[in-house]
Amino acid sequence: MAQILDGKAIAKQIQANRAADIQNWQTQYGRPPGLAVLMVGNNPASAAYVRGKERACERLGIASLGQHLPEETSYEAIAQAILSLNQNSNVDGILVQLPLPNHLDSTALLALIDPDKDVDGLHPTNLGRLVRGEPGLRSCTPFGIMRLLEAYDISPTGKRAVVIGRSILVGKPIGLMLLAANATPTFAHSKTQNLSELTRSADILVAAIGIPNFVSKEMVKPGAVIIDVGINRIENAETGKARLIGDVDFAAVEPIASAITPVPGGVGAMTVAMLLENTISSYCDRLNITPNP
Ligand code: NAD
């Protein structure tokens, strides 16, 4: 039986002392940390994610300074909104909720965010800092995975890691973070040959694919640590109710793994927690505060 890497519980622990810190800082410095989530249009999944982020801010006392803009908003108007958030001294973190409507160039818009307020860690400057091993804001999902491994004393040092997926959001940065933590990572993707052979060599296997139950028992080395990043919504045809499942066949893989993240309650919970941590760290940098660990 594998150890369950309980992201929800660890996220709660990380946040347990933050509310008190933020209240103290608010008294001392006259304002709480501020996060601006920019959402454009009405994508229902995005709206649910934004609501989740705003609720999490509220629980900790972080100010939500976001804007919800209509679907047809022009590139210029959004660019203007980002530039004015860059200048706003109450805003420590800016996040543009993706995906943006098709008429908008998200790469160009993300590049307008002040890198020191880029709490999603997707700005080229922050990705460059990650490649160079310099301090900077790290993208939330891979950062959350590293904090989860740390919380369970799972050291990547010397381990063979295989990452399935090579996106900017998850695959590439988690590979680089595992490398920085002294693992030996390999990236696999949709064109990889003999994928199972490769994944069976992994001491740490990260699945960031977006295909439900993709990783089968046959693809896993007994005793491996399994990180399931996938979030797939599966609707029940009869009830119409949706449930979330991961990229790993949890029921089959859990009995042979040494540790595994559940979906939901694993990596996803850590992602939101890291967004708040990044906002707090940006606030502390700006106000010259040394945050509690
Ligand atoms: P993406 O679509 O950008 O990338 C998917 C990757 O999977 C690609 O690099 C592709 O090469 C690889 N892939 C596709 N088919 C494959 C195959 N047959 N064999 C091997 N590799 C294959 O997706 P993403 O943004 O990286 O997200 C991946 C999953 O993680 C999605 O389910 C997404 O919803 C989820 N996600 C979760 C969180 C979280 O907080 N838990 C955050 C971001 C993304």
Side-chain angles (χ1 to χ4, degrees):
M1 291 284 272
Q3 177 170 40
I4 303 299
L5 305 179
D6 187 343
K8 203 169 164 189
I10 301 299
K12 252 196 186 154
Q13 249 174 45
I14 291 171
Q15 288 169 13
N17 300 317
R18 288 302 188 208
D21 287 345
I22 289 171
Q23 205 156 27
N24 290 337
W25 293 333
Q26 154 94 57
T27 312
Q28 211 172 336
Y29 300 97
R31 72 169 183 91
L35 173 66
V37 178
L38 260 186
M39 171 158 170
V40 185
N42 294 310
N43 178 323
S46 295
Y49 285 134
V50 171
R51 267 199 306 280
K53 287 165 187 171
E54 288 174 350
R55 270 201 299 268
C57 282
E58 208 173 298
R59 278 198 298 274
L60 257 67
I62 293 177
S64 282
L65 305 166
Q67 296 171 30
H68 187 174
L69 303 167
E71 178 90 18
E72 61 281 3
T73 310
S74 68
Y75 175 90
E76 289 71 23
I78 298 166
Q80 199 43 56
I82 293 173
L83 295 176
S84 99
L85 291 169
N86 284 346
Q87 299 301 322
N88 185 335
S89 55
N90 290 325
V91 172
D92 303 290
I94 302 170
L95 182 152
V96 175
Q97 184 66 41
L98 299 175
L100 288 171
N102 286 336
H103 68 282
L104 296 168
D105 179 349
S106 53
T107 308
L109 285 169
L110 291 181
L112 294 176
I113 298 174
D114 175 348
D116 294 331
K117 293 189 176 186
D118 166 43
V119 282
D120 230 358
L122 297 177
H123 190 283
T125 298
N126 283 318
L127 290 171
R129 287 169 175 159
L130 171 63
V131 172
R132 294 172 62 97
E134 293 171 4
L137 291 164
R138 300 291 191 241
S139 43
C140 302
T141 302
F143 186 26
I145 294 170
M146 297 308 289
R147 288 285 292 268
L148 193 56
L149 292 174
E150 199 185 304
Y152 283 92
D153 281 327
I154 298 172
S155 165
T157 297
K159 303 266 169 60
R160 174 136 204 196
V162 172
V163 179
I164 318 178
R166 55 176 164 179
S167 69
I168 287 287
L169 193 59
V170 191
K172 281 179 190 155
I174 187 60
L176 287 167
M177 287 183 202
L178 286 164
L179 178 66
N182 301 316
T184 304
T186 306
F187 295 94
H189 48 80
S190 54
K191 303 286 187 291
T192 298
Q193 303 284 306
N194 302 325
L195 180 62
S196 296
E197 193 185 312
L198 183 65
T199 57
R200 273 199 306 270
S201 72
D203 303 309
I204 299 174
L205 179 61
V206 181
I209 312 154
I211 303 178
N213 292 334
F214 181 89
V215 175
S216 65
K217 184 178 158 199
E218 289 68 35
M219 293 171 74
V220 170
K221 172 162 116 176
V225 173
I226 309 295
I227 305 295
D228 189 352
V229 184
I231 298 183
N232 306 290
R233 283 180 85 80
I234 305 293
E235 247 182 52
N236 181 312
E238 278 164 29
T239 63
K241 271 197 175 167
R243 67 192 176 99
L244 301 181
I245 64 168
D247 287 348
V248 176
D249 182 349
F250 185 93
V253 169
E254 187 268 336
I256 64 161
S258 63
I260 187 166
T261 60
V263 177
V267 175
M270 291 299 289
T271 298
V272 179
M274 293 305 105
L275 174 67
L276 306 181
E277 285 293 284
N278 276 347
T279 305
I280 290 167
S281 112
S282 164
Y283 170 86
C284 289
D285 276 356
R286 203 154 280 109
L287 297 179
N288 249 326
I289 302 168
T290 308
N292 296 319

